[in-house]
Amino acid sequence: MSYLLRRTGQAVFTVFAVVSLSFGIVRLLPGGPADYLRAQLIQQGGGLTQEQINQRIAAQTNIATDEPLYVQYVDYVWDVLHLDFGTSIWYNEPVTAVLGPALPWTVFLMASALFVQFVIGVSLGAFMAYREGSRFDTGATAVSLVSNSIPFYVIGLLFIAFLGYRFDLFPTGGRYASSVPVGPNLDFVLSVLYHGALPILSLVVASFGGWALTMRGNSIRVLGEDYLRVARLRGLPERRIALRYVGRNAILPMYTGLLISIGFMFGGSVILEQIFAYPGVGYYLIQAIGQRDYPVMMGAFMIIAVAVTIGVFVADLTYGYVDPRAKGGENSESY
């Protein structure tokens, strides 16, 4: 219980530190968003008084610059904890109204890509280990190394150039076709999968090799264990040995990496969604950077930071249940 409380406290502190850092960026750094907004409002003219300018800044950044610093900080943290990230400068809407509808699309894109690449990588890596030294193993290892060496955005650009524009097989932007009625119907689902195919495929092609090589190494190590020789001498079916002994023990060390990848893939969505013009959190973050829309930028940064924190937190708490051998090490991290 003390371990759970300590890890929960660390996760909460991490999120709190991110919120505090975002306050520092918005309020304390010279030339930060508050100063930028003030200069922009003064430049626009309109006869705004100093009090009206402060009210505009407070409405868009959740920071009342005419209040004492500690009051600004408390108000900012309170608003962020209530998911009030301010008002977008460019869209003139609450940040939650801009990023909230985009978040499920990013989750769909990243979760689908991570699931597919993990399944392909684990299956291929296990098969490579069982065929160690064969032509298949040599060829698959080379393909995995190439896959793991090419950035996903390079593959994405190639897909857009050839599969999108040259052969016109897939759409080059958007989340679904505008002619399809939005809702729980088959046409909408197929359109969503069709538009998400290239972004998902880019991540899968660029990442399955890393999972395959990791699984191959883990499986080869497990295949050399004495208990497998004993299992074969006892006459256990090879299928049972492969799934229950080899596969399970080889995949356990990859569990933590899988959960942490969920969080870090939100960061990768920034480039991917921009390449494919896919309106998710990463897409709006790039747009906000170009338009100097600081409230949206801070909201997106916090979403990414919280996603990474949750991924690490869940991985650390659940690893002991997935691998009972790690339960004895509750005084330290499980990975």
Side-chain angles (χ1 to χ4, degrees):
M1 181 60 73
S2 61
Y3 176 75
L4 174 63
L5 292 176
R6 190 169 66 252
R7 293 300 298 161
T8 304
Q10 290 174 353
V12 172
F13 175 77
T14 302
V15 174
F16 179 74
V18 171
V19 174
S20 300
L21 181 63
S22 67
F23 172 81
I25 293 174
V26 174
R27 178 63 184 88
L28 301 178
L29 291 181
D35 293 336
Y36 172 77
L37 283 174
R38 186 183 301 280
Q40 193 178 45
L41 291 172
I42 294 173
Q43 190 177 16
Q44 290 174 352
L48 294 176
T49 64
Q50 188 64 40
E51 183 179 358
Q52 290 173 323
I53 291 176
N54 290 337
Q55 289 175 351
R56 291 277 188 92
I57 295 174
Q60 292 185 323
T61 64
N62 284 341
I63 292 177
T65 53
D66 54 343
E67 297 284 350
L69 190 61
Y70 72 93
V71 175
Q72 298 176 27
Y73 177 70
V74 172
D75 290 344
Y76 181 79
V77 173
W78 180 258
D79 289 336
V80 170
L81 292 179
H82 287 77
L83 301 181
D84 183 359
F85 300 106
T87 303
S88 166
I89 299 171
W90 184 259
Y91 299 102
N92 198 27
E93 292 181 355
V95 172
T96 50
V98 176
L99 296 181
L103 182 59
W105 294 97
T106 298
V107 173
F108 159 71
L109 210 63
M110 298 296 111
S112 302
L114 188 60
F115 175 76
V116 175
Q117 68 186 240
F118 187 75
V119 171
I120 293 177
V122 166
S123 303
L124 180 62
F127 203 62
M128 288 160 62
Y130 266 91
R131 297 289 184 271
E132 183 186 7
S134 65
R135 290 183 179 178
F136 172 79
D137 180 34
T138 303
T141 300
V143 171
S144 299
L145 286 172
V146 172
S147 160
N148 201 40
S149 303
I150 303 177
F152 67 85
Y153 49 84
V154 174
I155 297 175
L157 290 173
L158 291 175
F159 282 166
I160 286 182
F162 289 96
L163 300 181
Y165 287 108
R166 182 157 188 175
F167 299 110
D168 197 23
L169 296 177
F170 290 93
T172 57
R175 300 183 295 209
Y176 50 84
S178 57
S179 58
V180 173
V182 179
N185 57 78
L186 182 60
D187 291 338
F188 178 69
V189 173
L190 292 177
S191 181
V192 168
L193 294 176
Y194 184 47
H195 281 71
L198 285 188
I200 292 173
L201 197 59
S202 300
L203 287 174
V204 171
V205 172
S207 303
F208 82 90
W211 294 113
L213 293 173
T214 304
M215 183 64 181
R216 177 183 181 275
N218 292 344
S219 299
I220 290 175
R221 177 180 54 78
V222 174
L223 285 169
E225 297 288 346
D226 292 336
Y227 62 85
L228 285 185
R229 298 190 184 95
V230 174
R232 290 194 175 95
L233 290 174
R234 289 177 57 193
L236 294 180
E238 193 61 34
R239 179 185 177 86
R240 182 179 177 183
I241 293 175
L243 296 178
R244 191 165 181 176
Y245 294 93
V246 180
R248 181 180 179 184
N249 288 298
I251 208 172
L252 282 178
M254 303 169 67
Y255 175 72
T256 302
L258 175 65
L259 288 183
I260 294 177
S261 297
I262 296 174
F264 278 102
M265 288 190 78
F266 274 91
S269 71
V270 175
I271 301 175
L272 185 76
E273 291 176 352
Q274 182 65 23
I275 291 175
F276 288 97
Y278 196 89
V281 173
Y283 175 84
Y284 284 110
L285 175 57
I286 291 291
Q287 298 297 315
I289 292 173
Q291 296 151 0
R292 293 181 181 270
D293 194 343
Y294 288 103
V296 174
M297 288 167 55
M298 304 313 301
F301 287 149
M302 275 189 267
I303 288 175
I304 294 172
V306 170
V308 174
T309 303
I310 291 176
V312 175
F313 178 67
V314 173
D316 198 31
L317 287 187
T318 57
Y319 190 83
Y321 295 97
V322 176
D323 185 358
R325 294 171 298 182
K327 278 195 171 181
E330 291 187 346
N331 291 328
S332 59
E333 284 77 1
S334 301
Y335 52 90

